[in-house]
Amino acid sequence: MTLSPARVPAAGVRRLTRTLYGYAFLDDFVLLYPVYALLFADTGMSLWQISSLFALWSITGVVLEVPSGAWADAVSRRGLLWIGPLLTAAGFVLWVAVPSYGAFAVGFILWGAGGALGSGALEALVYGELDRLGAADRYAPVMGRARAARLLGTVASIGLAGPVFAQGGYAAVGAASFLACVLTAVTATRFPEHRARADDEGDTWATILRTGLAELRGDRPVRGALLLVPAVAAVWGALDEYTPLLVRDIGVAEATVPYLIMLIWAGVTLGSLLAGPAERLGTSGLAMLLAGAALALAVGAASRSLAGIALVSLAFAGFQLAEVLADVRLQHRIDESRRATLTSVASLGTELATVATFGVYALLGTDLPHGTVFAVLAFPYLVTALALARARVARERP
């Protein structure tokens, strides 16, 4: 039977999206997530040693973020997407097999490298394949659902970690995490990849990196779209780490805290799923979305009440939605041959801004309650919203 041209792209889109959703779910289905800090402590690591491990993890990602994006543009984006999870799997094996500071450090380096290989490469591959199929306009809802799948993977791993740990300890959750990484790598091999490789045309990853950075310097719309990604993603991404402390400060029982955290995560998932319809918002709509989410965050966090936590959940839904839309704006503006490179530059900006937010939070949190710190850190989103509104007005001037 001969397929019509309309049905061929539809089948291609289905294959791509099913692979993407499975990959996203498995990539965050890591049962070690909620217990690896306990593993470090039970092995005898001091607080400064544990903190140094987290710092090493972040530094690895920062150092490799942009070079790995250029490498993805030079060779195979799909290849990096299956290599990355295998590096992470090797790190988890080390943690469980020979628990020690050295093994934990190497494991975090491998995990950071694995994450860097996939950052930028995934977005570039998905956008490129959708564009080839004439479905680039579906990028926003597709990536929104992929982020929702990641959240479901995280929630599922948290829910299963307790009973699995009770049955088999660290060895069991480590084995489950290893298996999830291997399945993630296997799933990545199912991604389609039809673009011509840059090195077929004589370009190396270093050349692609230089030309990508040159495009960033010389193209103002690209530069603005790239800077918008960390401006939207960094602050709320950092605040997410402190939400248990915010929730506990409203006076609920310790046993209630996880349920309220789940409420916040439900808001984030909702924000991901609204990406398709919200793509029509435009610049003014995005500015209003950020401003509204910032106000919800400030009022909700400062109120120190159950209703306030619901407002924080609504704010996080808005920020997650805005983050997806910022990525969509960037993908629409960058050249295919340097897509992974510039997406990785945006991710690097997010990482650095997130680390800066951690520092600001630590500074403010020394003397202020968590609700007040959350409210103060809503202010950067109002600044971003104002900048977007001003940019829209400037473009409309004759």
Side-chain angles (χ1 to χ4, degrees):
M1 183 178 71
T2 301
L3 296 177
S4 68
R7 291 183 63 187
V8 173
V13 170
R14 282 196 300 272
R15 175 190 172 188
L16 173 65
T17 55
R18 288 172 181 172
T19 303
L20 173 64
Y21 302 152
Y23 179 91
F25 177 88
L26 290 169
D27 197 34
D28 271 23
F29 186 67
V30 178
L31 271 65
L32 273 168
Y33 276 159
V35 299
Y36 63 70
L38 301 179
L39 170 62
F40 301 158
D42 290 347
T43 305
M45 299 296 102
S46 66
L47 181 59
W48 77 264
Q49 285 177 312
I50 294 174
S51 298
S52 68
L53 290 172
F54 292 153
L56 182 62
W57 187 18
S58 297
I59 291 170
T60 302
V62 167
V63 170
L64 297 180
E65 184 72 54
V66 176
S68 68
W71 191 23
D73 283 332
V75 286
S76 168
R77 294 165 182 170
R78 178 175 59 195
L80 268 60
L81 290 175
W82 66 258
I83 292 172
L86 294 182
L87 293 178
T88 303
F92 291 159
V93 170
L94 280 176
W95 284 5
V96 177
V98 285
S100 61
Y101 183 83
F104 297 149
V106 173
F108 265 129
I109 291 173
L110 290 171
W111 195 355
L117 290 180
S119 177
L122 180 64
E123 293 87 348
L125 184 146
V126 171
Y127 190 94
E129 288 300 313
L130 287 174
D131 190 36
R132 183 185 66 86
L133 294 167
D137 60 329
R138 296 184 58 181
Y139 179 77
V142 165
M143 291 306 292
R145 295 185 193 112
R147 289 175 185 248
R150 284 191 179 277
L151 293 170
L152 291 175
T154 301
V155 171
S157 68
I158 293 172
L160 288 175
V164 172
F165 182 79
Q167 290 295 318
Y170 293 118
V173 294
S177 300
F178 171 83
L179 179 60
C181 291
V182 172
L183 290 176
T184 304
V186 171
T187 303
T189 64
R190 294 285 301 160
F191 276 117
E193 186 176 26
H194 295 88
R195 76 186 177 93
R197 297 181 183 177
D199 56 5
D200 293 340
E201 302 170 1
D203 288 338
T204 65
W205 75 268
T207 301
I208 292 173
L209 178 58
R210 286 195 299 270
T211 56
L213 294 178
E215 179 182 353
L216 181 60
R217 290 191 300 269
D219 193 323
R220 186 172 181 179
V222 170
R223 186 166 62 251
L226 188 145
L227 291 174
L228 182 62
V229 173
V232 171
V235 174
W236 86 270
L239 290 179
D240 179 56
E241 302 296 332
Y242 298 97
T243 50
L245 302 175
L246 176 71
V247 170
R248 188 173 62 181
D249 266 10
I250 70 174
V252 299
E254 293 284 342
T256 307
V257 172
Y259 297 105
L260 295 179
I261 296 300
M262 291 293 291
L263 172 64
I264 294 175
W265 281 66
V268 176
T269 304
L270 176 63
S272 296
L273 296 175
L274 291 175
E279 191 177 7
R280 297 188 293 269
L281 286 176
T283 300
S284 297
L286 181 57
M288 293 177 64
L289 173 65
L290 285 173
L295 291 174
L297 177 63
V299 173
S303 70
R304 301 181 63 184
S305 64
L306 289 174
I309 297 302
L311 281 176
V312 171
S313 176
L314 180 63
F316 275 27
F319 294 141
Q320 171 75 324
L321 175 56
E323 184 177 338
V324 176
L325 296 179
D327 175 53
V328 171
R329 290 163 68 94
L330 177 62
Q331 298 303 327
H332 284 333
R333 285 166 171 77
I334 54 182
D335 183 79
E336 170 62 23
S337 64
R338 295 179 286 276
R339 188 174 302 282
T341 302
L342 293 181
T343 303
S344 291
V345 172
S347 296
L348 174 61
T350 300
E351 291 282 351
L352 295 174
T354 300
V355 171
T357 304
F358 286 143
V360 172
Y361 196 104
L363 181 63
L364 295 175
T366 302
D367 301 312
L368 299 174
H370 294 287
T372 303
V373 178
F374 269 67
V376 170
L377 289 176
F379 180 73
Y381 286 110
L382 294 176
V383 174
T384 301
L386 179 61
L388 284 171
R390 292 182 63 182
R392 174 63 185 270
V393 171
R395 282 198 304 270
E396 292 178 348
R397 286 175 182 167

